[in-house]
Amino acid sequence: MNRNDDWMQRDLASLWHPCTQMKDHETLPVVPIRRGKGVWLEDFEGKRYLDIVSSWWVNIFGHANERINARIKQQLDELEHVILSGFTHRPVIELSERLGRLAPTGLGHCFYADNGSSAIEIALKMSYHYWRNVGRPEKRRFLTITNGYHGETLGALSVGDVALYTDTYRPLLLDVIKVPAPDGFGLPREQWVEQARACFVHMERALERHAGELAAVIVEPLIQCAGGMRMYPPEYLTWLREACDRYGVQLIFDEVAVGFGRTGTLFACEQTGVRPDFLCLSKALTGGYLPLSVVMTSDDVYTAFYDDYATLKAFLHSHSYTGNPLACAAALATLDIFEQDDVIATNRGKAAQMERLAAPLREHAHVGDVRQTGMILAIEMVRDKASLSPYDFRERRGLRVFRHALSRGVMLRPLGNVIYWMPPYVITPEELELVAEVTHEGLEIATAD
Ligand SMILES: *Cc1c(COP(=O)(O)O)cnc(C)c1O
């Protein structure tokens, strides 16, 4: 009765899965998960899987974490939810105060939603609306870099550039300006800054040309995650802030995926020495427990909306579950763990181990690049090592890695030809060794012909 197959059949008869060609499941099993503990997930037949992708980049302190569980249970008996318009509650106030202290100084106003895409929609709308409120309604366009990803709703898709997700919907999207992204692919790290510098010329030119009609620039700081874990150095963002100031354009940092320690600092923007006008956070915000997102912004933005009601300057955007108390409680427990366990410092050792374990893979005949920023390490498979020419996406090399890893009890889910490790921070050295071993095997199998 409780066997995997039964659940799979019932699933396929009633569900439509995200980011999935459902026909794939004629040959590929859906894995029904019965329970989780730490980095491990377990199916209905007792087989365990190491969650090396942090359940789509959200889980940082393991499944069924006792401290987060306890905090949510306590909140559940007090208040599960309340409207956040005209009313407020303790977890959302405490969370806003703490985020305000942790984020770069000057981002003291928290506006909540319940997923990353919605946070992006909010930042885009707020930026446009800001310019409108200060008498510059012609500033209504957005500028971004290629290969970005900001979510799946239409506004978020518009500022994204991963063809697989955007191309089909192009006729529905906003007209966004895109310039080539800085990208350290295939380069030793010492050359990243030089590459980014050469690339910044395009950004500078676009800002100069379009400043009068631009509301904001939006980027994923340091790592373009869904775009294949492509990485670039913090210097680019420092130059970008300076240029945005010079041209009078706002700056949105989408830290939905990289916030909360992924890049080696709590927020990626700490490494840049600058602050954006909007900081978007979600995913790991609740430790991977509950949907919640927040857009943090400045006094300057906040006061541009602050006026008599009749001026119609207010930001009237809302979502039913905005600032949900259970989600905020999970976020508070997550921030407690960061504080109590000195997570950022401990992660440095784990990141160093990841680097050591992946180093031998650089020599592989079909590995074009091994790159790392903090707790994200990516291994890019290529057809030809010398020219770095990619495998055709139709060959689905990544899927071969996925299948093998699954059989070995590791949930390794490549993005096309890019294998990556994005572990929950509670992973142990032995578990990382297992991941490296299975990755190596998967790589051999996937590139054998
Ligand atoms: C996942 C992601 C989003 C979208 O978040 P959802 O919660 O999936 O809507 C936005 N930006 C980045 C950088 C992401 O990785």
Side-chain angles (χ1 to χ4, degrees):
M1 188 47 203
N2 280 343
R3 312 242 333 145
N4 288 347
D5 262 0
D6 300 322
W7 290 110
M8 188 170 96
Q9 294 318 324
R10 286 171 61 182
D11 173 289
L12 293 177
S14 57
L15 269 86
W16 189 346
H17 287 269
C19 203
T20 300
Q21 170 48 265
M22 292 301 292
K23 188 164 189 282
D24 277 0
H25 287 309
E26 287 179 7
T27 53
L28 189 71
V30 182
V31 185
I33 297 299
R34 175 162 175 238
R35 59 184 169 193
K37 189 69 197 167
V39 299
W40 294 96
L41 293 164
E42 190 184 312
D43 70 15
F44 284 82
E45 291 170 5
K47 185 170 168 61
R48 301 202 310 156
Y49 306 90
L50 198 164
D51 187 0
I52 192 66
V53 297
S54 295
S55 283
W56 251 354
W57 319 346
V58 299
N59 188 298
I60 50 177
F61 296 130
H63 297 277
N65 182 292
E66 275 155 31
R67 283 183 275 178
I68 304 176
N69 285 7
R71 187 75 180 73
I72 295 173
K73 285 176 187 167
Q74 185 196 348
Q75 183 59 42
L76 188 57
D77 284 331
E78 274 177 24
L79 177 69
E80 79 301 327
H81 187 65
V82 65
I83 175 176
L84 198 66
S85 181
F87 294 81
T88 192
H89 53 84
R90 183 172 161 173
V92 81
I93 296 168
E94 288 179 353
L95 180 59
S96 307
E97 289 172 349
R98 280 178 80 171
L99 289 173
R101 284 196 296 272
L102 292 168
T105 316
L107 293 174
H109 303 276
C110 292
F111 194 100
Y112 289 89
D114 44 30
N115 64 81
S117 305
S118 297
I120 301 304
E121 302 289 341
I122 288 165
L124 299 175
K125 282 176 69 179
M126 254 186 197
S127 176
Y128 161 74
H129 198 161
Y130 167 87
W131 290 112
R132 191 183 148 91
N133 281 353
V134 301
R136 302 286 307 277
E138 72 282 5
K139 286 170 77 69
R140 56 179 185 79
R141 294 188 74 191
F142 299 97
L143 169 58
T144 186
I145 57 178
T146 52
N147 194 47
Y149 178 87
H150 301 284
E152 303 290 344
T153 53
L154 292 177
L157 258 191
S158 300
V159 289
D161 188 52
V162 177
L164 184 64
Y165 308 124
T166 54
D167 273 5
T168 311
Y169 305 101
R170 182 106 30 221
L172 304 183
L173 305 182
L174 299 172
D175 181 22
V176 169
I177 303 160
K178 291 170 187 170
V179 297
D183 183 1
F185 174 59
L187 297 174
R189 187 172 274 269
E190 312 80 68
Q191 290 173 27
W192 284 15
V193 175
E194 198 183 320
Q195 192 278 343
R197 170 65 84 184
C199 208
F200 191 74
V201 172
H202 302 285
M203 174 59 81
E204 175 86 39
R205 228 179 266 149
L207 279 167
E208 187 184 3
R209 178 147 172 238
H210 297 285
E213 55 172 345
L214 279 177
V217 175
I218 178 168
V219 291
E220 290 165 273
L222 304 186
I223 310 173
Q224 296 188 304
C225 292
M229 302 294 170
R230 291 296 178 95
M231 300 175 186
Y232 63 92
E235 283 82 352
Y236 185 90
L237 298 162
T238 313
W239 305 328
L240 180 58
R241 173 76 273 182
E242 185 275 326
C244 283
D245 285 344
R246 206 154 17 89
Y247 291 107
V249 174
Q250 291 186 324
L251 183 56
I252 303 167
F253 279 176
D254 175 358
E255 294 213 26
V256 167
V258 298
F260 302 98
R262 274 299 163 194
T263 64
T265 45
L266 189 65
F267 300 118
C269 57
E270 286 169 38
Q271 298 177 39
T272 69
V274 300
R275 80 163 160 81
D277 298 285
F278 303 94
L279 178 63
C280 301
L281 304 169
S282 186
K283 291 201 165 110
L285 169 61
T286 62
Y289 266 69
L290 287 158
L292 182 70
S293 65
V294 61
V295 179
M296 302 181 69
T297 192
S298 64
D299 287 344
D300 179 37
V301 171
Y302 181 78
T303 52
F305 290 78
Y306 195 90
D307 207 338
D308 295 327
Y309 189 83
T311 63
L312 295 179
K313 283 187 174 176
F315 191 61
L316 298 181
H317 186 109
S318 66
H319 297 285
S320 312
Y321 283 98
T322 293
N324 174 262
L326 295 170
C328 291
L332 287 166
T334 300
L335 293 180
D336 283 345
I337 296 175
F338 269 106
E339 237 171 71
Q340 291 160 8
D341 294 5
D342 203 4
V343 173
I344 298 293
T346 315
N347 278 357
R348 271 182 224 126
K350 301 195 183 196
Q353 191 203 357
M354 284 161 63
E355 184 181 358
R356 280 194 304 277
L357 289 170
L361 299 175
R362 282 182 196 280
E363 309 310 319
H364 192 281
H366 290 285
V367 169
D369 194 32
V370 176
R371 50 186 177 269
Q372 183 181 14
T373 298
M375 293 297 281
I376 299 182
L377 186 139
I379 302 145
E380 186 147 348
M381 296 184 284
V382 290
R383 168 172 301 287
D384 181 60
K385 200 179 178 83
S387 64
L388 296 178
S389 60
Y391 282 114
D392 189 313
F393 80 96
R394 282 166 292 208
E395 294 173 12
R396 306 188 78 180
R397 304 270 169 174
L399 191 62
R400 301 187 200 176
V401 178
F402 172 75
R403 281 181 195 275
H404 173 73
L406 206 59
S407 75
R408 292 276 274 118
V410 177
M411 197 162 109
L412 194 63
R413 204 170 173 279
L415 289 156
N417 294 323
V418 181
I419 304 168
Y420 68 92
W421 303 341
M422 193 160 172
Y425 306 156
V426 292
I427 196 164
T428 65
E430 295 72 32
E431 287 160 347
L432 275 173
E433 278 170 28
L434 170 67
V435 169
E437 191 180 302
V438 170
T439 301
H440 208 150
E441 295 165 5
L443 191 56
E444 290 297 338
I445 292 168
T447 62
D449 57 326

